[in-house]
Amino acid sequence: LNYKRTFCRSLNQDDVVVNNGCTLYSCTLKEKAYIGQNSVVLEGAIVEEGAIITANSVVPPGRVVPSMQVWGGNPIKFIRHVK
């Protein structure tokens, strides 16, 4: 899914989960991506298939979050692999 500017209460579409309070700016969320509550995904960022962004995180512009990994923080950093 491609987003221009969206403020979400919650979204569950095409196996993508975006929780309450998220802000998405011109980003791409691939299949089975999960965005935690109150997170911000900035311009040009790509969240790959099965990647997880923890709550209250900020994904910087242009960042690619690899598939099947958990990232979080402000700015995000790698936490662990998804099994």
Side-chain angles (χ1 to χ4, degrees):
L1 296 172
N2 293 307
Y3 294 95
K4 293 218 174 188
R5 184 175 182 188
T6 305
F7 302 97
C8 294
R9 287 193 174 196
S10 64
L11 171 70
N12 189 347
Q13 180 179 358
D14 295 333
D15 294 328
V16 171
V17 176
V18 179
N19 283 294
N20 291 334
C22 291
T23 305
L24 310 173
Y25 293 96
S26 299
C27 61
T28 301
L29 305 179
K30 302 278 179 104
E31 203 171 295
K32 297 181 182 174
Y34 180 92
I35 311 298
Q37 187 170 351
N38 297 320
S39 292
V40 178
V41 184
L42 295 172
E43 295 86 359
I46 300 172
V47 181
E48 297 284 350
E49 184 174 338
I52 297 171
I53 304 300
T54 62
N56 304 307
S57 296
V58 176
V59 181
R63 175 69 55 94
V64 176
V65 178
S67 63
M68 303 306 291
Q69 293 184 3
V70 178
W71 287 64
N74 182 8
I76 61 168
K77 60 184 176 188
F78 174 75
I79 297 173
R80 66 181 178 93
H81 291 280
V82 176
K83 294 184 179 185

